Amino acid sequence: MVETVVSVELPVDETLQIQKKRLTGSDIGNREPKRISIVTGIHGDELEGQYVCYEVQRRIQKHPEYLTGIVDLYPALNPFGIDSVTRGIPAFDLDMNRIFPGSKDGDMNEYVASEIIRDLEGSDLCMDIHASNIYLTEVPQIRINEITEDVLIPYAKLSNVDFVWVHGASTVLESTLAFSLNSRKVPTLVVEMGVGMRITQEYGKQLVDGIFRLMKELGIWSGPVANVRKPVISRNPDEVIFLNAPESGIFIKDKNHGSYLKREEHIGYIVDPLNGTMLCDVTAPESGWLFTIREYPVLDEGSLIARILKVDKSECEGHEGGSHETEYLI
């Protein structure tokens, strides 16, 4: 059943309407069913979650008899951003993920944010799915604020992602959807994967396997689920190396995200296309796991090229290569 979460009249006979799709098990009866909410589309240039919403529905529709709870799908929290391929809210130059929890008495965007929070409250688990931007490609990962680590790590381990990054608290996080929901006792996982303006099907299927494993754990799904991979978990900020461009130019990458690198191993090079010269050989400053790599080749000095996690190769076994062939159960 498609439901309208919030609707706001706009000038020139337009309406801002945010909708969700609710899937409910047929044998719930009088009991209080468990509920998982899948949220995506906060940023209009992040499309990986669109495929996830489709794939979750496809699998449930194939075996509706296994659904024993409620699945709420919110594919487009920023529908105008998606329509216009704009990261923020068009015309307002506003990042939607910086206005939560909003206010019912605030301006239009604050009101919309408050209604989204109202609708999501009561979920037993929420998954907020993002892609990377157009500049970087990321392995499937979950990012957790350290203040919610104890609650969220058990869910993250079942999510079938490659990496769980526990980071320090930051004031800007207090205006995100995930922070607002976690502070309201709605466990919320933030997923980052793939690249902006694209859909990576293997990553979508990988995450959906994790979603069904979580649904099984919560009592929302009674059918078969795939085995989930054990993620690499980082809690120490000193383990993550940020590799920035020493010069402006065009980056030609020779390693894919997910690769394990040895110290001083070649990653790519920066070239000057006007003069036909190589400006810089980009190498790994330390041995580790390459979990982020530059996708958009144009670089300014200081642009982020890669992130490397300083771990032994044995710790990231099964996560190398950037993509995985998986035999999906349904």
Side-chain angles (χ1 to χ4, degrees), residues 273-291:
L274 178 62
N275 295 305
T277 57
M278 186 175 76
L279 301 174
C280 177
D281 183 18
V282 180
T283 60
E286 301 281 351
S287 296
W289 183 49
L290 183 68
F291 68 92

Side-chain angles (χ1 to χ4, degrees), residues 223-241:
V225 294
N227 293 326
V228 295
R229 63 195 70 203
K230 181 180 178 181
V232 179
I233 300 177
S234 174
R235 296 178 174 87
N236 183 356
D238 294 334
E239 290 179 339
V240 178
I241 299 171

Side-chain angles (χ1 to χ4, degrees), residues 46-109:
E46 298 178 357
L47 304 177
E48 300 283 8
Q50 303 297 303
Y51 182 78
V52 171
C53 288
Y54 157 77
E55 182 66 7
V56 167
Q57 291 190 76
R58 185 193 69 79
R59 297 190 192 188
I60 292 174
Q61 289 165 358
K62 190 172 182 180
H63 292 287
E65 69 275 13
Y66 294 144
L67 185 61
T68 56
I70 295 174
V71 178
D72 279 344
L73 299 162
Y74 301 75
L77 291 194
N78 179 10
F80 289 163
I82 291 175
D83 289 346
S84 60
V85 200
T86 304
R87 180 174 178 80
I89 301 173
F92 292 91
D93 192 25
L94 182 66
D95 186 337
M96 188 177 191
N97 211 26
R98 296 295 182 270
I99 60 174
F100 290 101
S103 170
K104 66 178 182 179
D105 298 319
D107 65 17
M108 183 193 77
N109 294 308

Side-chain angles (χ1 to χ4, degrees), residues 3 7 33 38 40-41 44 80 83 89 109 121 123 136 164 185 196 200 203 266 308-309 313-314 317:
E3 301 179 14
S7 180
I38 312 299
T40 191
F80 289 163
D83 289 346
I89 301 173
N109 294 308
E121 283 189 293
S123 301
L136 303 167
V164 176
K185 310 303 180 184
T200 313
Y203 286 172
H266 173 74
I308 300 171
L309 183 68
K313 188 173 183 179
S314 60
E317 287 180 355

